[in-house]
Amino acid sequence: MNKREGEGCSRRNADAAQEHEMSANPSSSVMAAFKVFQQELDTKHDKYERLVKISRDVTIESKRTIFLLHRVTTVPDAEDVLNEADIKLDGVRQKIGQIAEELKGEDIYQFHRAFTPGIQEYVEAVSFLHYIRHRCLISLEEINARLVFMNTEKADPKSSAEAMPVNAQVLTFQVTSSDYLLGVADLTGELMRMCISSVGNGDIDTPFQLSQFLRQIHDGFSYIGNTGPYEVSKKLHTLRQSLGKVEDACYTLRVRGSEIPKHMLADVFSSRTTLIDPEEGVV
């Protein structure tokens, strides 16, 4: 073995010994740094999972509110249904308040995928309720104005039997523009179902109102085009299908409404919507 080979061998042995010492020594600086990284990643993962669970609850309660709102076309007093929907949405907002608490001091976009399904469903539910009441589309600013929460931390003094609220803090949750657009896109499907229910109950005015409203939403999404989020462009096809079905219902009512008994309008409408080509867009 020459001198150069001997130096190389001794260097490798020294590096291996140092590596073994670092791995065996839990108090080394490298091990300490990686323990910090591990704690940060575990904390972020736990928060992400909590947000997923809260979002799932928001989705479920929002869907229940939407199902409830579809009863407005069949009950004699729609205001009772709307008031019950308000109560349900208040409970949903409390869940969103928990999301705001989890996101306090965090970058929202690091956890956005965890809660976006629930927020989209909430936007769909609250915009559906707003349309039934006011026959117009709720704005993003109006939605965010209702998502302001008071976070009250409680002190627990040993001398007091009751904890006193201190350090009241205002928390806000801001729905993103993409979540708002995706929720509105899903709203069109619920409006199409509302049109079917209205026709089945002999209401020939609501379908024409819905047709005009859906056309305005479609024009707005067409104006955005491919410049918006990718998910929005994916839902544009479904929006066009919903608009096509509603406009076809209006055509049926306008052309044949006078010759078809009201209790048969829904059957005729349902049979015609099945003939619509799913690949045919709305011009």
Side-chain angles (χ1 to χ4, degrees), residues 123 126-127 130 136-145 180 184:
V123 171
V126 74
S127 59
H130 190 272
C136 63
L137 180 64
I138 190 171
S139 66
L140 177 60
E141 290 75 16
E142 290 176 288
I143 292 178
N144 286 332
Y180 172 73
V184 171

Side-chain angles (χ1 to χ4, degrees), residues 236-276:
L236 186 59
H237 175 68
T238 305
L239 190 158
R240 288 171 174 169
Q241 281 186 301
S242 299
L243 175 59
K245 292 178 180 179
V246 172
E247 289 186 337
D248 190 75
C250 293
Y251 171 82
T252 303
L253 292 173
R254 183 70 70 187
V255 175
R256 302 184 59 195
S258 59
E259 63 186 41
I260 301 175
K262 289 186 176 181
H263 67 277
M264 296 179 61
L265 285 174
D267 295 334
V268 175
F269 168 65
S270 299
S271 63
R272 286 183 59 85
T273 53
T274 57
L275 300 177
I276 299 177

Side-chain angles (χ1 to χ4, degrees), residues 39-272:
Q39 293 175 355
E40 291 179 355
L41 291 174
D42 288 344
T43 301
K44 180 178 178 180
H45 177 74
D46 292 342
K47 185 184 292 289
Y48 191 95
E49 291 301 319
R50 290 196 300 269
L51 288 171
V52 169
K53 293 179 181 178
I54 299 173
S55 175
R56 190 180 298 118
D57 293 338
V58 171
T59 300
I60 293 173
E61 293 301 321
S62 298
K63 285 184 179 294
R64 289 174 178 172
T65 304
I66 293 172
F67 296 153
L68 172 65
L69 289 172
H70 277 295
R71 293 172 49 196
V72 296
T73 59
T74 60
V75 297
D77 189 1
E79 193 61 31
D80 291 340
V81 175
L82 298 180
N83 292 334
E84 186 178 351
D86 276 329
I87 296 174
K88 285 184 174 294
L89 286 177
D90 285 338
V92 175
R93 280 187 279 270
Q94 295 304 315
K95 293 289 184 181
I96 298 178
Q98 297 178 21
I99 296 178
E101 176 68 24
E102 291 286 350
L103 294 176
K104 183 173 60 176
E106 300 283 356
D107 181 6
I108 182 176
Y109 292 102
Q110 286 188 359
F111 303 93
H112 184 249
R113 292 185 63 182
F115 59 83
T116 180
I119 298 303
Q120 292 176 31
E121 201 70 33
Y122 168 74
V123 171
E124 181 181 355
V126 74
S127 59
F128 192 25
L129 172 61
H130 190 272
Y131 175 80
I132 294 174
R133 272 208 168 116
H134 306 288
R135 289 297 190 266
C136 63
L137 180 64
I138 190 171
S139 66
L140 177 60
E141 290 75 16
E142 290 176 288
I143 292 178
N144 286 332
R146 301 291 300 274
L147 300 179
V148 180
F149 312 97
M150 183 66 68
N151 179 29
T152 304
E153 298 180 358
K154 292 184 178 181
D156 189 13
K158 297 181 180 179
S159 59
S160 176
E162 296 182 358
M164 301 298 295
V166 295
N167 299 330
Q169 183 181 10
V170 177
L171 291 177
T172 60
F173 182 89
Q174 298 294 306
V175 177
T176 63
S177 300
S178 60
D179 287 343
Y180 172 73
L181 290 174
L182 292 170
V184 171
D186 291 335
L187 168 67
T188 59
E190 304 304 330
L191 295 179
M192 184 269 293
R193 296 180 183 92
M194 182 180 177
C195 175
I196 296 175
S197 300
S198 300
V199 173
N201 295 324
D203 182 1
I204 60 175
D205 295 327
T206 298
F208 291 96
Q209 297 174 359
L210 290 171
S211 175
Q212 183 179 3
F213 180 67
L214 288 175
R215 171 58 70 174
Q216 293 174 350
I217 293 181
H218 174 267
D219 292 344
F221 274 92
S222 299
Y223 179 78
I224 295 175
N226 294 328
T227 61
Y230 172 69
E231 295 83 358
V232 174
S233 61
K234 285 172 56 179
K235 292 193 176 185
L236 186 59
H237 175 68
T238 305
L239 190 158
R240 288 171 174 169
Q241 281 186 301
S242 299
L243 175 59
K245 292 178 180 179
V246 172
E247 289 186 337
D248 190 75
C250 293
Y251 171 82
T252 303
L253 292 173
R254 183 70 70 187
V255 175
R256 302 184 59 195
S258 59
E259 63 186 41
I260 301 175
K262 289 186 176 181
H263 67 277
M264 296 179 61
L265 285 174
D267 295 334
V268 175
F269 168 65
S270 299
S271 63
R272 286 183 59 85

